[in-house]
Amino acid sequence: MTDLVPDTSRIDRAALERIIRRATEIHASEREIGDGLTESELMTLGRDVGIPDRYVRQALLEERSDASLQHEPGLAAWLAGPRRVVAQRSVPGTADKIRAALNHWMTERELLTVKRRFSDSMTWEPRRDIFSSLKRDLGVGGRPYRLARAREIAGQVSVLDDDRCHVHIVADLSNTRRSHIGGGATLAASGALATTIGITLGVMLPVAVVPAGVGMVAGAALARRRLSQVEAVQVSLEQILDRLEHGELRAPEDEDRVGNGMLERLTGELRRGLGI
């Protein structure tokens, strides 16, 4: 087989993805879609090209999420990072079980409290009581409680099929960006004020501009420190999805059954060991 004649024996993964994508584009171009498709028409198009509803529905949910959380332009976003952090994934389980498990984790393990409830989603905010504050400050249980830094956490669970759901979690960190940008601006303004005073008093210009430069650098450094916090929150959200995906997050009633089952087994072992 020469380089001029393509090898038709096998199709690698990269080529397969390109072929499927192109075949879908060709099929879609043959349909009259006007200004767009409705959700039901999109599902029909997916069936026509042999894509199961579950995958089309998941891709639709991810596209809607990406469209609502476009990359933020501007100096503030570059300095201190985005206002919101997002994590999403397809996980096994029914919607009711996943919502109950997610709510249990947020309220019991992350020290959040329910703010709003909707048909397929829920929002949480940090608890403000003194005991929760002490737990967070002392790191009780060895947990960093990173999600408590957020102004609000939103979780949406959408059904994909009978045994899988799409989970979408958003952390609103606009409060931390505002504080970091404000602190950085204060440092920069203080340096500029010192430079202005120095010039007014007749200090040599090369010396007078030093405070302004130091203030700008220090302000930018303070704002950039938030990037590590954003990354830590992102990791926390992904870890929650990891636990959901592997069945480590359970609804309260499931945890009770697991706990009672373990207790019964331990009691049985003790009785057999003691010959009772």
Side-chain angles (χ1 to χ4, degrees):
M1 189 72 69
T2 69
D3 293 339
L4 299 178
V5 180
D7 182 5
T8 59
S9 59
R10 294 188 65 82
I11 301 173
D12 61 30
R13 183 178 181 86
L16 177 62
E17 291 177 353
R18 291 194 298 271
I19 292 168
I20 295 297
R21 188 183 307 115
R22 181 56 183 154
T24 304
E25 291 173 355
I26 294 171
H27 188 275
S29 67
E30 294 176 351
R31 299 175 66 100
E32 182 61 40
I33 63 173
D35 293 331
L37 295 175
T38 64
E39 185 172 334
S40 61
E41 289 171 339
L42 178 62
M43 302 301 291
T44 301
L45 178 60
R47 296 187 197 105
D48 289 345
V49 297
I51 304 175
D53 289 357
R54 163 190 159 189
Y55 301 113
V56 178
R57 193 172 292 114
Q58 181 176 346
L60 176 62
L61 290 167
E62 292 177 357
E63 171 61 25
R64 285 174 173 170
S65 170
D66 291 341
S68 64
L69 296 168
Q70 295 287 348
H71 175 70
E72 296 180 44
L75 180 61
W78 179 80
L79 277 175
R83 288 176 296 177
R84 292 178 290 182
V85 178
V86 183
Q88 56 184 339
R89 195 178 306 174
S90 167
V91 300
T94 62
D96 290 340
K97 290 283 188 182
I98 293 173
R99 289 189 193 107
L102 187 59
N103 183 54
H104 183 60
W105 178 270
M106 292 296 190
T107 54
E108 299 300 323
R109 301 298 183 90
E110 299 291 346
L111 300 181
L112 306 179
T113 186
V114 175
K115 183 177 181 180
R116 296 286 306 277
R117 295 179 188 270
F118 305 94
S119 59
D120 62 347
S121 62
M122 189 178 299
T123 62
W124 301 269
E125 60 184 358
R127 291 184 193 171
R128 306 298 183 187
D129 60 276
I130 188 171
F131 296 107
S132 298
S133 298
L134 283 173
K135 276 187 174 183
R136 288 193 288 264
D137 292 341
L138 298 175
V140 174
R143 296 190 53 76
Y145 302 106
R146 298 188 187 102
L147 299 188
R149 298 172 182 166
R151 187 181 71 86
E152 183 178 275
I153 305 288
Q156 183 178 37
V157 180
S158 304
V159 177
L160 295 176
D161 56 24
D162 292 339
D163 57 0
R164 291 195 77 84
C165 292
H166 179 264
V167 181
H168 177 261
I169 309 175
V170 182
D172 181 354
L173 299 172
S174 57
N175 54 330
T176 65
R177 190 167 84 167
R178 188 164 49 249
S179 64
H180 278 72
I181 291 294
T186 299
L187 287 175
S190 299
L193 178 61
T195 292
T196 302
I197 293 173
I199 293 174
T200 303
L201 295 177
V203 177
M204 289 186 299
L205 188 60
V207 177
V209 298
V210 170
V214 171
M216 289 184 63
V217 171
L222 177 60
R224 297 286 287 177
R225 283 179 56 188
R226 179 178 176 270
L227 295 177
S228 61
Q229 296 181 6
V230 170
E231 183 179 358
V233 171
Q234 180 75 65
V235 170
S236 293
L237 295 184
E238 295 292 348
Q239 287 174 338
I240 292 174
L241 294 180
D242 290 343
R243 294 183 176 99
L244 280 172
E245 186 174 7
H246 294 93
E248 298 174 9
L249 261 65
R250 298 184 178 90
E253 59 272 18
D254 293 337
E255 285 195 342
D256 291 341
R257 281 198 293 270
V258 172
N260 291 336
M262 292 180 62
L263 182 60
E264 289 173 0
R265 289 196 295 272
L266 287 172
T267 302
E269 293 292 335
L270 285 172
R271 286 177 175 174
R272 283 194 292 272
L274 296 173
I276 299 177

